[in-house]
């Protein structure tokens, strides 16, 4: 479930006992490095990606024959509205911080959607600094990507601090490609109010999904 807040409506702060359990384990000072990856994969697959799919992915009606169909005919079927398996998706991997969450999302999506519907893009993002070694922004140093037309672009990035990385990623795709995307969603574990302000002002069409807003 998304908690109530006063940020713009495109911001979803996911809050429930299952999510809090995983997030507190991830942030705990005694959590082992060996457990960080498994907790991250769980939170992205079972929480963040699930909310994105439920809110943004198109649906289609299906009728499925159950094992009782041979005996009961139409009474042995299930009619349901499900995720459209032909949905076109791009998962953008931000090297390095986005490796684990992006692979988690990609592997889950290919088990839901038809072959060829999920594409994996790769972008190398690194901090830029001034002469005093203060962080001044982000630079995209490597990119392997394709057009976004009619696709849902997912950008998993554990921490959204200033918003520089996400804005640089979108600039690297180009404004024309960004405009052609069916939807764009960023998936984070923690973000800051500064991040929300920057992204919602520069890209008001973007859907932001996060587990926590850190105001400290």
């Amino acid at each position: 479930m998304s908690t109530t807040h006063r940020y713009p409506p495109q911001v979803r702060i996911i809050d429930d006992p299952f999510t809090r359990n995983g997030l507190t384990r991830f942030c705990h000072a005694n959590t082992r490095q060996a457990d960080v990856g498994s907790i991250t994969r769980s939170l992205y697959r079972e929480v963040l990606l699930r909310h994105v799919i439920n809110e943004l992915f198109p649906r289609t009606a299906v009728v499925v024959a159950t094992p009782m169909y041979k005996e009961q005919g139409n009474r042995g079927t299930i009619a349901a509205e499900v995720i459209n398996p032909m949905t076109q998706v791009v998962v953008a991997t931000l090297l390095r911080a986005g490796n684990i969450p992006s692979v988690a999302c990609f592997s889950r999506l290919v088990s839901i959607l038809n072959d060829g519907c999920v594409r994996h893009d790769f972008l190398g993002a690194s901090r830029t600094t001034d002469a005093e070694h203060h962080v001044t922004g982000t630079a995209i140093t490597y990119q392997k990507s394709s057009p976004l037309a009619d696709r849902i672009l997912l950008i998993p990035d554990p921490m959204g601090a200033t918003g520089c990385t996400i804005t640089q990623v979108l600039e690297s795709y180009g404004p024309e490609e960004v405009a052609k995307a069916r939807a764009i969603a960023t998936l984070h574990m923690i973000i800051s109010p500064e991040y929300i302000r920057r992204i919602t002002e520069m890209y008001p069409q973007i859907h932001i999904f996060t587990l926590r807003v850190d105001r400290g």
Side-chain angles (χ1 to χ4, degrees):
M1 86 182 49
S2 296
T3 188
T4 302
H5 57 74
R6 295 183 180 180
Y7 294 112
Q10 61 267 43
V11 178
R12 280 78 152 187
I13 305 172
I14 303 168
D15 182 36
D16 55 56
F18 179 86
T19 302
R20 290 194 294 270
N21 183 74
L23 187 60
T24 53
R25 287 179 59 215
F26 179 87
C27 295
H28 199 288
N30 294 330
T31 296
R32 301 181 308 154
Q33 184 177 10
D35 296 326
V36 169
S38 62
I39 297 171
T40 301
R41 284 187 288 271
S42 174
L43 287 171
Y44 269 88
R45 286 178 179 171
E46 308 304 329
V47 180
L48 285 162
L49 183 60
R50 182 173 181 172
H51 276 262
V52 172
I53 289 174
N54 286 340
E55 292 196 36
L56 302 183
F57 280 39
R59 303 171 188 178
T60 187
V62 297
V63 177
V64 178
T66 72
M68 296 300 295
Y69 180 76
K70 290 183 179 180
E71 297 181 11
Q72 300 294 330
N74 289 337
R75 293 177 62 190
T77 62
I78 294 178
E81 188 181 61
V82 301
I83 303 304
N84 188 334
M86 292 301 296
T87 302
Q88 303 293 305
V89 182
V90 175
V91 179
T93 295
L94 304 184
L95 305 169
R96 299 176 299 266
N99 287 5
I100 291 177
S102 295
V103 171
C105 292
F106 182 86
S107 62
R108 188 72 181 101
L109 286 167
V110 295
S111 71
I112 299 172
L113 305 177
N114 288 354
D115 287 348
C117 289
V118 188
R119 195 184 75 214
H120 215 165
D121 285 359
F122 297 90
L123 300 99
S126 60
R127 298 292 186 188
T128 57
T129 58
D130 58 21
E132 285 75 39
H133 305 290
H134 298 143
V135 175
T136 58
T138 303
I140 301 299
T141 57
Y142 171 82
Q143 181 172 355
K144 181 181 182 297
S145 60
S146 298
L148 299 177
D150 299 321
R151 291 180 177 267
I152 297 174
L153 174 62
L154 305 182
I155 310 175
D157 186 16
M159 166 62 87
T162 63
C164 289
T165 298
I166 298 300
T167 57
Q168 284 297 312
V169 167
L170 295 174
E171 288 178 14
S172 71
Y173 276 104
E176 292 185 0
E177 286 301 321
V178 169
K180 293 177 183 176
R182 177 168 187 154
I184 300 175
T186 60
L187 294 72
H188 309 281
M189 298 178 74
I190 302 173
I191 60 176
S192 70
E194 291 79 7
Y195 171 89
I196 295 175
R197 186 180 305 114
R198 183 185 186 97
I199 298 302
T200 55
E201 288 179 356
M202 295 185 66
Y203 295 96
Q205 77 275 31
I206 288 183
H207 303 272
I208 300 172
F209 292 80
T210 188
L211 308 183
R212 176 187 173 193
V213 176
D214 188 338
R215 299 172 180 83

